[in-house]
Amino acid sequence: MLTQRLVASDESREPLTAIDRQNIDLIRQFYGERAGKRATAWRHLLHQLTNTHTATRSDKKSVSESTQLDGINRFFNQLQFIDDDKLWGKKDYWATPNEFIGVGGGDCEDFSIAKYFSLLSLGVDDEKLRLVYVKALTLNQFHMVVAYYPHPAAVPLLLDNLDGEIKPATERLDLLPIYSFNGSQLWLMKQKGQGQLAGDAAKLSAWNDVRLRNNEQELRRPAINLDE
């Protein structure tokens, strides 16, 4: 069972904060007990991977960004892939991380958005992250991944639900980049890894909508229940 795997993957058992419990309760009350267990595993993982407690806990080691990338990528890749039209009854719906965890599945945008926001919450600089819209050549369909830039001129590492191994963009010949964005900027992709700055990310209406709903912790019910 998916929920059991998610809970079993949690090894940290760091104490949860009042904000954590509020988030878990919100998801549990709206989506049910299994959703609450997924949310609990998620919040524990964030504590396990965060560096905020290291200053006062001498027994804790600093967590590298590569460890954070791997932990977040592995966690969310356990969730179920399902198309928006089946799950939400819409052709294209970008779910918030709370909704993705709550329903237990989603499409490539949902995987990527949840990874992006989780990495931000761990303290990874937004300038190192981009959501990249690509064409998956093998599948002949559009797709989304998360790109992580260790430094501005680096070839990014890609976090993907199609290929669970984090790889440099130059090794993903099956992906053709089209455009990318983060919390502030939008780029048109001209080559693997880099791109031409095309303006403000606010041009993307779907991105504006999911950020607003995420900030307001708005939840919506799916067309089907994946936990039944």
Side-chain angles (χ1 to χ4, degrees):
M1 182 184 297
L2 173 62
T3 301
Q4 291 176 334
R5 294 202 304 272
L6 289 172
V7 173
S9 69
D10 168 46
E11 300 174 352
S12 64
R13 310 310 299 178
E14 290 286 341
L16 296 176
T17 66
I19 294 176
D20 290 326
R21 297 191 181 282
Q22 183 180 21
N23 174 265
I24 293 166
D25 288 343
L26 176 71
I27 293 173
R28 177 185 291 115
Q29 291 170 12
F30 197 85
Y31 293 111
E33 287 299 319
R34 291 185 181 177
K37 291 181 180 180
R38 289 191 292 270
T40 300
W42 177 35
R43 304 308 292 192
H44 277 302
L45 176 69
L46 293 178
H47 280 284
Q48 178 186 348
L49 295 176
T50 191
N51 280 309
T52 57
H53 56 277
T54 57
T56 57
R57 292 282 297 277
S58 59
D59 58 321
K60 291 290 183 180
K61 297 180 179 179
S62 179
V63 181
S64 67
E65 288 189 345
S66 62
T67 298
Q68 292 174 329
L69 293 173
D70 184 66
I72 293 299
N73 194 54
R74 288 178 181 273
F75 179 83
F76 283 109
N77 281 355
Q78 297 176 85
L79 273 69
Q80 179 177 340
F81 180 87
I82 182 171
D83 291 328
D84 284 338
D85 56 350
K86 295 179 181 178
L87 182 59
W88 296 102
K90 298 182 178 181
K91 183 178 180 180
D92 191 29
Y93 179 74
W94 291 15
T96 67
N98 283 347
E99 290 173 323
F100 185 45
I101 286 288
V103 302
D107 67 1
C108 60
E109 289 97 347
D110 306 327
F111 281 88
S112 297
I113 288 167
K115 293 173 186 179
Y116 170 84
F117 279 115
S118 293
L119 290 169
L120 284 183
S121 73
L122 293 175
V124 178
D125 195 319
D126 190 44
E127 292 185 356
K128 293 184 175 182
L129 298 173
R130 295 186 195 177
L131 291 161
V132 187
Y133 200 59
V134 303
K135 185 170 185 180
L137 300 177
T138 304
L139 299 176
N140 192 31
Q141 65 184 36
F142 294 111
H143 183 55
M144 185 180 284
V145 299
V146 178
Y148 167 80
Y149 292 76
H151 56 84
V155 173
L157 301 174
L158 300 186
L159 285 67
D160 187 8
N161 65 291
L162 293 179
D163 185 341
E165 182 180 352
I166 298 175
K167 297 177 181 177
T170 49
E171 294 183 13
R172 293 299 306 275
L173 301 180
D174 58 314
L175 302 180
L176 178 65
I178 300 171
Y179 67 85
S180 66
F181 56 96
N182 60 14
S184 58
Q185 300 292 344
L186 170 67
W187 293 266
L188 298 178
M189 306 303 287
K190 298 297 184 181
Q191 57 185 344
K192 291 282 185 178
Q194 300 298 325
Q196 177 182 349
L197 187 63
D200 197 307
K203 293 180 178 179
L204 301 173
S205 59
W207 181 225
N208 291 336
D209 178 66
V210 74
R211 285 193 291 177
L212 178 62
R213 288 186 286 110
N214 187 59
N215 289 338
E216 296 182 351
Q217 294 194 336
E218 180 181 334
L219 300 176
R220 297 180 183 177
R221 296 194 185 281
I224 59 174
N225 188 343
L226 298 180
D227 286 330
E228 290 183 345

